[in-house]
Amino acid sequence: MLQPSFIVPRSVEWKDTYISLLDQQKLPAAAEYIRLNNIKDVWEAIQSLKVRGAPAIGITAAFGLALSASRYSETEIGLFLKRLKKEQEYLAGSRPTAVNLSWALNRLLKSCGNVQSVNEAKTNLIHEAIQIQAEDEETCRQIGEHALKLFSKNDRILTICNAGSIATARYGTALAPFYLAKEQNFPLQVFACETRPVLQGSRLTAWELMQAGVDVTLITDSMAAFTIKNKKISAIITGADRIAKNGDTANKIGTYNLAILANAFSIPFYIAAPLSTFDLNMEVGEQIPIEERDAKEITHIAGTQVSPDGVQVFNPAFDVTPAELITGIVTEKGVMRGNYSVKIEELFLPEPSV
Ligand code: MRU
């Protein structure tokens, strides 16, 4: 694969005896890589948003399980697999909404489906985790290629949260078309919502796009309608944490607002996500578990209290955009439009054998 000449930051790397992780909580003040040495470190990094973004969470958890299992002392395969299952469940509980987490961990368990020995299982787990990351990089590029075709030169595109390189193996989902546009000297302007309460748009999206020299302008979430109108935004694109069978999509809180605005202004609203973000066990979006996080994310900004003592707080981290507000869903297979229930079913049909 041709490597771009500009910086596309990476967030997680397998280092054999530890996992190297870009601490996203410290961005943009510092781009610091920390070491995750054991499964507790991995659980804590995911829960505290040191790593976040659906595919990146899945990749980090997969590395975490493989790392932990590589040190199990069990020599009997049954006991080994029992412990593996327990740790898989532990990591799967670190965050509830992004389905890529359980998807990646399930893939690791499956890689041990037919193993005969503990050594074989340990090797398979590491290979599978590395493979998940490699596939995600390729998938994100493909998503970027399909998404870029949706835009015209000099378009101004609005996004929220961070569905970028550091939220995936590389390139991102919603941000992938902007990296590809950069490679091809195709002029686009990105407008990034700051994404209250924890500012992924401001701290992460603005930072990573600026690293690559992509034209990005930051706005607060409350400026979206005014900006769409006055800056002539031509489309909105966001990532996803879980997509139900009917196309209803959970993503960062505020995404639903943007979909309603897109509808009101008659501009397209796109979701960009890999197939690993679809959950065929969810018939409709209402079934998707929505994480509620600590009140302090709202009552405090950078450690300073900005709300009265004891105020009641509601802090859902995600919302669900109904399928009918989504113009198209971009996956590695192309752009789906229209009747998502039918299109999603077709997408997951087994490949015909030749
Ligand atoms: O709480 P976060 O930062 O993990 O939320 C992330 C998002 O909502 C992203 O848009 C989504 O995971 C897609 S990342 C390619």
Side-chain angles (χ1 to χ4, degrees):
M1 190 188 294
L2 197 69
Q3 297 300 317
S5 54
F6 48 88
I7 300 165
V8 185
R10 287 180 192 269
S11 59
V12 55
E13 243 183 296
W14 174 253
K15 296 284 191 187
D16 293 325
T17 53
Y18 67 95
I19 300 156
S20 172
L21 188 82
L22 175 64
D23 184 347
Q24 298 192 33
Q25 281 291 31
K26 297 227 172 87
L27 286 170
E32 200 176 292
Y33 284 81
I34 55 171
R35 285 176 180 225
L36 307 182
N37 292 307
N38 54 52
I39 197 151
K40 280 204 174 105
D41 287 354
V42 172
W43 189 96
E44 194 278 332
I46 295 173
Q47 205 284 326
S48 66
L49 311 184
K50 289 189 175 75
V51 58
R52 28 66 50 207
I57 294 171
I59 292 162
T60 308
F63 282 156
L65 190 60
L67 180 69
S68 185
S70 72
R71 297 176 188 146
Y72 291 174
S73 53
E74 283 80 354
T75 49
E76 198 276 308
I77 188 67
L79 292 175
F80 177 94
L81 293 176
K82 207 169 153 196
R83 183 160 171 202
L84 187 72
K85 176 92 186 95
K86 216 170 141 200
E87 293 208 326
Q88 177 242 354
E89 283 165 8
Y90 168 68
L91 280 181
S94 53
R95 287 193 81 190
T97 303
V99 74
N100 303 63
L101 176 59
S102 52
W103 171 87
L105 291 167
N106 286 338
R107 257 186 75 163
L108 256 67
L109 278 199
K110 273 196 199 136
S111 78
C112 294
N114 296 316
V115 290
Q116 304 298 320
S117 72
V118 163
N119 278 347
E120 191 186 346
K122 289 181 177 178
T123 307
N124 284 8
L125 288 166
I126 294 169
H127 282 172
E128 191 69 12
I130 291 171
Q131 182 65 19
I132 288 172
Q133 187 182 38
E135 282 174 20
D136 189 60
E137 179 169 341
E138 178 58 23
T139 294
C140 287
R141 259 199 90 90
Q142 289 166 349
I143 289 173
E145 278 159 20
H146 296 303
L148 186 51
K149 293 193 191 118
L150 300 169
F151 305 141
S152 305
K153 280 189 178 163
N154 299 312
D155 270 358
R156 293 171 172 177
I157 322 285
L158 183 67
T159 189
I160 189 167
C161 195
N162 173 271
S165 190
I166 59 175
T168 61
R170 209 171 183 213
Y171 301 106
T173 54
L175 300 191
F178 308 128
Y179 288 117
L180 267 59
K182 180 80 189 157
E183 263 180 21
Q184 298 167 22
N185 285 322
F186 184 99
L188 287 176
Q189 272 180 269
V190 182
F191 282 75
C193 289
E194 67 170 353
T195 320
R196 275 282 285 153
V198 292
L199 306 177
Q200 291 94 331
S202 169
R203 294 187 303 103
L204 309 177
T205 292
W207 174 80
E208 72 159 80
L209 291 180
M210 286 174 77
Q211 294 289 302
V214 174
D215 184 334
V216 57
T217 302
L218 182 63
I219 60 167
T220 70
D221 304 337
S222 51
M223 295 169 188
F226 188 81
T227 305
I228 292 170
K229 186 169 176 212
N230 291 286
K231 292 291 181 184
K232 305 202 170 12
I233 297 292
S234 38
I236 299 176
I237 188 164
T238 80
D241 284 85
R242 199 185 290 232
I243 303 175
K245 247 173 121 178
N246 69 343
D248 290 351
T249 296
N251 191 52
K252 180 51 54 194
I253 194 76
T255 302
Y256 184 18
N257 303 27
L258 294 184
I260 292 171
L261 285 181
N263 204 41
F265 283 99
S266 300
I267 59 170
F269 176 84
Y270 298 112
I271 294 288
L275 296 190
S276 52
T277 300
F278 289 75
D279 185 352
L280 302 187
N281 295 317
M282 304 275 125
E283 295 292 330
V284 294
E286 274 168 14
Q287 294 171 289
I288 299 175
I290 298 296
E291 179 180 15
E292 286 187 34
R293 294 188 60 90
D294 196 322
K296 271 201 169 156
E297 287 183 349
I298 294 184
T299 57
H300 290 64
I301 296 179
T304 302
Q305 188 172 331
V306 292
S307 318
D309 271 339
V311 68
Q312 293 185 63
V313 168
F314 177 47
N315 183 19
F318 301 94
D319 57 28
V320 178
T321 300
E324 60 269 22
L325 292 180
I326 301 171
T327 313
I329 303 180
V330 189
T331 72
E332 60 269 42
K333 300 280 185 197
V335 184
M336 263 189 297
R337 297 172 192 264
N339 188 339
Y340 293 118
S341 296
V342 173
K343 297 281 169 63
I344 291 172
E345 207 174 322
E346 284 170 4
L347 200 60
F348 284 89
L349 284 176
E351 303 266 332
S353 52
V354 276

